[in-house]
Amino acid sequence: MADVCLRLQYACPWQSNMAAHGRQPVLSSTPLQILFHLNGWYFAAFFVAEILMFIYKGVILPYPQDNLILDVVLLLLFSGLETLRLFYGWKGNLCQRSLALFVSVAILVPCAVLSVYYLLLQTFVLRLEFVLNAVLLCFYGFELVLGVMTISIFSRANIY
Amino acid sequence: MADGWCSDNGESVYRSRDAVKNFRIRVRIQRVTSTAALSEHLHQQVLSQQERGVIELETFSTQTASSTDEEELVVAWQEKFFSQYEVDLYQTESNCQTPLERQYHTDIMAMERSKRRQNQRIFTYTDFDRFSKWEEQAQSLVIPAQPTPTFLAERMANVRHRRQERRPAESNVPKSRLITWEPSEEFVKNSHIINTPVQTMYIMADLGPTGKLGLKENEYVLCTIKADGNGVISIKPDFNNNRGAYRLETEGEKREVWRLYLENASSDIQAEEKDREQRMYRDLYTRHKDYLNSLVGQDFEMPPPGILRLIVNGEIVSAQGYEYDNLYVHFFVDLPNNWSSVSSHCLSGVTQTCRTRSIEKEDVAFFSYPFSFETFFHKEDESDGSLPQWPVLYFKVLSLDFWQRFRTEGYGYLVIPSTSGRHRMTCRTWRAVQRGTVAELRRFFIGGAPELEDISYVRIPGTFKGERLSRFGFRTQTTGSVTFTLNCIQHARAFIDASTLKKRRQTVLDQLGGHSQQGSVYNVLEAFQRAHKRMQEARETLPRDLINTSALLNSESSA
């Protein structure tokens, strides 16, 4: 029989007073943070692979010049949007800001559209591109669900 | 003629505490040549030839006796006696150019009117006289010593020369040549040498023939006296003091020889003046001492009896061996029972955030954070048998990341040492962990970590009431360490009592207990306990019926 008069609580960032009681629990979502972490690394690899595949398709296949330029520009736009989304998601989750996380979920929509474009609507779609975009869309699905849940948790909590 | 000449005519230096204006010297010169015999011979001839005129003979003999050359004069410091040459020179007002010379003119005219001249041959040159500058270069005519002037003597003579040349009343400063761009050697010699201010006085003698006084070439230096502001007086030549007379020999065809005597004529201070001076000095020193005492003060703060005052000036030196970067330390001082603190003092604090650097394969964060606090110990309940406890410094180390998430890196505590002085100690820390990898993932990604609600659980929690503290089931992980430096000062009135009674001090608290007001109460309680114990022992040995009899007696006495 353990006689430990101890109650463990988790650290809160905004309360630095040691004498405070009844501290707020940590509301941040660990799975969402893990997904953001993995998605960051995955998108970096995805970007490099796409650049290399565009070089390959431009050299080997009879790629139209206008279509190639359009695809590369869209890829750059995709990377910018993805970076912005990851930053706001990361910040919103760690700092427990609903607005930042909402912005992240909002940017998720154009990112998904671009991913579907690269999955289906490119001039030439390789099998590797198909697989990479499919995995990326899975990431987006999980992040959408967890993001909405975390936003609801943040909104319901009384933060003062 | 050759009897008792003093050939030692060197300079002598004296040091005096008295003011130099009290200096007196008696000068006496005496002619010792055949001219005196010749005068006596002439005197006898006149007496033998004219025996009828008594008045004329008396007048002539008086005149001869007065010219029998021996003169004595007491000279004070910087006292002006005029020579015949000066009297002749300054009688004419047109010769007076400076205010000093006009003053001399007034003095000479007054002296001529009052007919009270004290000197004939002996006169003085003071420090302000115009003739002082080149008279110094003239050598003393004491024949056995004729030194050649050295380079230093020449430059010092020029120094005196420089000061005379710069008399402001006599000359005007040229305004067009304030800066000399190419100074000549003579200019440097006159202007650049620094000299200690020394006042000089010459005692001169007019050794001319009788009736022919006033010629410049017949003037000779008898004595040179110098004095500076520090009370150093140099006299050249020295006083005679029962030695032979100095020998003076004139130049010219007659070659007369004079005898010179110098004697110290300064009078001692009066007894009542000396007492008054000593009293004045004593009052001056006493007043100065009182002034210093009023500045310093005499209050030395002392704690009340039976109270120990503990003053700690500490420093959080460094933290080493932690996992994350950007460390900071939360700390507070926990006071046990019977300890109190000044309300204005703060017993908690937090250091700055510090990045670590690698020193000998270990990450070290140097805080160098100073803190200080002051507490008082007052033991009121002497009968309590528990050991006295000392204050405890609880601390926890946390880290802060880019997103302002902090993680608990370690918990630790430090018991304030019971001895005074400087202490440097390193405390090892631990942190609470949870079972499973989910907690580690949470700690890595989010920053959440298990945290103690009551930090005194590091040692003995404040709410603990039992006899045995069990920590079974509580999981921890060893982390780094924190280094502290403490300077402890203990202040109590019992320390004076201990030193006065020359008793050996076992512990501070025993002395506090022994010399406080509650000590007597404690003794009374102890005696009561012993008496109570003896009564219980006596009651156990008595038979039962005797106890009943004593109870009956008590009831009767109460009725």
Side-chain angles (χ1 to χ4, degrees):
Chain A
M1 184 65 67
D3 185 14
V4 179
C5 55
L6 173 67
R7 182 158 60 91
L8 294 179
Q9 277 192 337
Y10 297 99
C12 298
W14 58 84
Q15 290 188 356
S16 61
N17 192 356
M18 300 173 68
H21 290 286
R23 282 171 286 197
Q24 295 294 325
V26 178
L27 300 176
S28 302
S29 174
T30 307
L32 183 60
Q33 189 66 26
I34 295 174
L35 281 177
F36 280 139
H37 213 85
L38 295 178
N39 196 3
W41 290 107
Y42 183 82
F43 188 81
F46 173 83
F47 184 80
V48 172
E50 282 290 333
I51 290 293
L52 292 178
M53 281 188 287
F54 276 130
I55 293 172
Y56 171 79
K57 286 187 287 185
V59 171
I60 300 298
L61 301 177
Y63 218 113
Q65 190 72 18
D66 295 340
N67 289 2
L68 184 61
I69 293 175
L70 178 64
D71 287 344
V72 170
V73 168
L74 283 178
L75 186 64
L76 294 178
L77 181 64
F78 192 18
S79 67
L81 284 174
E82 184 69 11
T83 303
L84 194 64
R85 186 184 69 84
L86 284 175
F87 174 79
Y88 273 104
W90 206 304
K91 176 182 172 64
N93 190 30
L94 287 182
C95 297
Q96 299 185 185
R97 305 289 177 80
S98 301
L99 184 60
L101 204 52
F102 184 79
V103 169
S104 172
V105 171
I107 299 174
L108 189 63
V109 175
C111 290
V113 169
L114 285 170
S115 181
V116 169
Y117 169 81
Y118 282 105
L119 182 68
L120 299 174
L121 301 176
Q122 282 192 91
T123 307
F124 298 100
V125 178
L126 300 181
R127 189 179 302 275
L128 182 59
E129 277 181 322
F130 189 88
V131 171
L132 286 177
N133 280 279
V135 172
L136 195 60
L137 282 173
C138 290
F139 268 117
Y140 288 166
F142 285 124
E143 286 178 6
L144 180 63
V145 174
L146 287 174
V148 170
M149 290 172 58
T150 309
I151 289 174
S152 63
I153 291 173
F154 288 171
S155 300
R156 279 202 304 267
N158 293 323
I159 303 174
Y160 44 82
Chain B
M1 182 181 294
D3 57 332
W5 291 113
C6 178
S7 60
D8 181 15
N9 57 354
E11 189 181 30
S12 183
V13 180
Y14 296 89
R15 180 178 288 274
S16 170
R17 284 204 225 206
D18 205 355
V20 74
K21 67 179 187 294
N22 296 324
F23 178 76
R24 298 287 187 276
I25 184 171
R26 179 177 291 113
V27 185
R28 185 159 67 95
I29 55 174
Q30 189 178 19
R31 194 199 299 258
V32 289
T33 56
S34 58
T35 309
L38 180 59
S39 298
E40 290 177 1
H41 183 64
L42 289 175
H43 179 63
Q44 289 175 5
Q45 283 185 2
V46 169
L47 284 178
S48 64
Q49 285 181 6
Q50 299 183 9
E51 296 180 354
R52 56 181 176 269
V54 177
I55 299 177
E56 291 180 359
L57 284 176
E58 285 182 356
T59 305
F60 187 79
S61 68
T62 303
Q63 185 174 1
T64 306
S66 68
S67 67
T68 304
D69 304 280
E70 177 177 349
E71 188 171 339
E72 181 175 321
L73 188 66
V74 176
V75 182
W77 178 245
Q78 299 294 335
E79 186 179 7
K80 181 60 184 175
F81 288 101
F82 297 101
S83 65
Q84 190 62 42
Y85 174 81
E86 286 176 324
V87 169
D88 297 339
L89 178 66
Y90 292 133
Q91 274 186 348
T92 309
E93 191 166 3
S94 60
N95 289 331
C96 305
Q97 304 168 5
T98 61
L100 181 67
E101 291 170 353
R102 279 188 277 270
Q103 179 68 31
Y104 284 170
H105 173 73
T106 307
D107 293 344
I108 288 170
M109 300 309 290
M111 188 175 62
E112 287 291 328
R113 282 192 294 268
S114 63
K115 297 295 181 180
R116 53 176 183 79
R117 185 173 178 181
Q118 309 176 34
N119 62 317
Q120 295 294 327
R121 292 181 178 271
I122 302 176
F123 63 99
T124 60
Y125 282 144
T126 58
D127 194 50
F128 321 105
D129 277 329
R130 184 172 63 184
F131 309 101
S132 294
K133 56 183 182 179
W134 61 76
E135 287 300 333
E136 187 174 8
Q137 301 188 20
Q139 301 183 20
S140 173
L141 286 178
V142 183
I143 295 179
Q146 290 185 352
T148 305
T150 61
F151 177 73
L152 180 60
E154 287 179 355
R155 299 188 75 92
M156 295 307 291
N158 287 321
V159 169
R160 304 285 301 178
H161 190 79
R162 181 255 337 224
R163 191 166 63 176
Q164 296 299 324
E165 289 294 331
R166 285 193 170 180
R167 198 175 302 184
E170 186 175 281
S171 62
N172 293 323
V173 178
K175 294 185 174 59
S176 61
R177 292 182 53 191
L178 293 177
I179 299 174
T180 305
W181 294 105
E182 295 178 356
S184 61
E185 184 177 354
E186 184 179 355
F187 181 80
V188 170
K189 195 181 298 181
N190 290 335
S191 303
H192 291 183
I193 297 175
I194 307 297
N195 187 21
T196 304
V198 168
Q199 286 184 326
T200 310
M201 182 180 177
Y202 296 95
I203 301 180
M204 313 289 289
D206 191 346
L207 303 180
T210 306
K212 287 188 177 180
L213 302 182
L215 293 181
K216 194 66 177 167
E217 55 270 11
N218 290 328
E219 294 182 355
Y220 296 94
V221 179
L222 297 182
C223 182
T224 303
I225 306 169
K226 299 179 183 178
D228 61 2
N230 299 322
V232 177
I233 302 170
S234 66
I235 300 171
K236 180 186 172 67
D238 197 6
F239 301 120
N240 289 99
N241 293 330
N242 299 327
R243 290 178 300 177
Y246 293 111
R247 180 190 173 94
L248 278 172
E249 188 169 339
T250 62
E251 296 175 356
E253 68 272 5
K254 288 192 176 181
R255 307 292 296 179
E256 291 180 348
V257 176
W258 292 75
R259 189 175 291 160
L260 171 64
Y261 296 93
L262 298 172
E263 186 179 345
N264 183 16
S266 304
S267 61
D268 290 336
I269 193 171
Q270 297 294 330
E272 53 188 31
E273 288 184 5
K274 189 174 183 179
D275 291 343
R276 191 187 316 128
E277 187 176 355
Q278 287 184 356
R279 197 181 310 112
M280 185 186 68
Y281 276 122
R282 199 183 306 112
D283 291 345
L284 180 66
Y285 292 146
T286 304
R287 200 174 303 112
H288 186 63
K289 187 176 67 174
D290 291 342
Y291 171 70
L292 291 184
N293 283 335
S294 66
L295 286 182
V296 172
Q298 296 179 354
D299 295 335
F300 188 85
E301 52 177 298
M302 184 67 69
I307 287 181
L308 170 71
R309 182 185 179 193
L310 175 68
I311 303 166
V312 176
N313 293 311
E315 181 190 7
I316 301 178
V317 179
S318 62
Q320 49 269 345
Y322 289 98
E323 185 179 355
Y324 283 88
D325 210 345
N326 294 324
L327 301 171
Y328 63 100
V329 179
H330 270 259
F331 65 94
F332 72 94
V333 179
D334 184 42
L335 300 180
N337 294 327
N338 302 323
W339 287 85
S340 62
S341 173
V342 184
S343 59
S344 62
H345 278 205
C346 182
L347 295 180
S348 65
V350 56
T351 65
Q352 75 275 11
T353 304
C354 183
R355 297 183 63 177
T356 59
R357 61 185 297 243
S358 298
I359 296 180
E360 296 179 356
K361 301 180 182 178
E362 190 181 40
D363 294 330
V364 182
F366 289 101
F367 295 105
S368 299
Y369 184 86
F371 61 91
S372 65
F373 60 91
E374 178 179 351
T375 56
F376 299 91
F377 174 79
H378 182 58
K379 192 169 185 181
E380 298 176 355
D381 194 1
E382 296 281 348
S383 62
D384 191 4
S386 64
L387 294 175
Q389 299 177 353
W390 287 84
V392 183
L393 181 77
Y394 292 102
F395 63 92
K396 69 175 180 178
V397 186
L398 304 103
S399 66
L400 201 68
D401 63 356
F402 178 79
W403 299 103
Q404 299 297 307
R405 310 296 294 200
F406 67 93
R407 298 166 176 83
T408 303
E409 298 292 334
Y411 290 99
Y413 73 95
L414 169 68
V415 181
I416 305 297
S418 61
T419 58
S420 59
R422 184 179 182 274
H423 305 271
R424 182 186 175 97
M425 47 197 70
T426 301
C427 306
R428 301 193 177 275
T429 57
W430 49 263
R431 63 179 176 88
V433 296
Q434 233 176 2
R435 183 193 298 268
T437 56
V438 176
E440 292 303 313
L441 282 174
R442 173 180 285 269
R443 173 181 166 84
F444 179 80
F445 286 109
I446 301 297
E451 184 173 344
L452 295 179
E453 184 184 19
D454 184 10
I455 201 174
S456 64
Y457 190 78
V458 175
R459 190 164 171 266
I460 300 174
T463 56
F464 180 67
K465 294 298 182 185
E467 293 184 356
R468 297 180 183 82
L469 177 64
S470 173
R471 298 178 192 265
F472 181 73
F474 182 61
R475 294 174 173 273
T476 60
Q477 175 179 333
T478 302
T479 54
S481 60
V482 179
T483 304
F484 291 88
T485 299
L486 298 178
N487 298 279
C488 306
I489 301 172
Q490 297 179 5
H491 193 190
R493 193 182 292 264
F495 296 156
I496 298 182
D497 299 336
S499 63
T500 304
L501 297 176
K502 297 187 184 303
K503 289 172 59 180
R504 292 183 64 256
R505 295 187 287 114
Q506 295 100 18
T507 58
V508 175
L509 302 178
D510 292 345
Q511 296 301 324
L512 284 175
H515 294 282
S516 65
Q517 290 293 329
Q518 284 77 24
S520 58
V521 178
Y522 176 73
N523 294 331
V524 171
L525 290 178
E526 189 175 356
F528 177 75
Q529 290 292 333
R530 288 198 299 268
H532 185 67
K533 188 176 297 182
R534 285 201 302 271
M535 190 171 64
Q536 284 186 347
E537 290 176 357
R539 189 186 296 271
E540 288 175 0
T541 58
L542 288 178
R544 189 174 299 274
D545 53 354
L546 191 55
I547 294 175
N548 293 330
T549 305
S550 64
L552 183 58
L553 288 176
N554 287 332
S555 63
E556 288 180 358
S557 64
S558 64

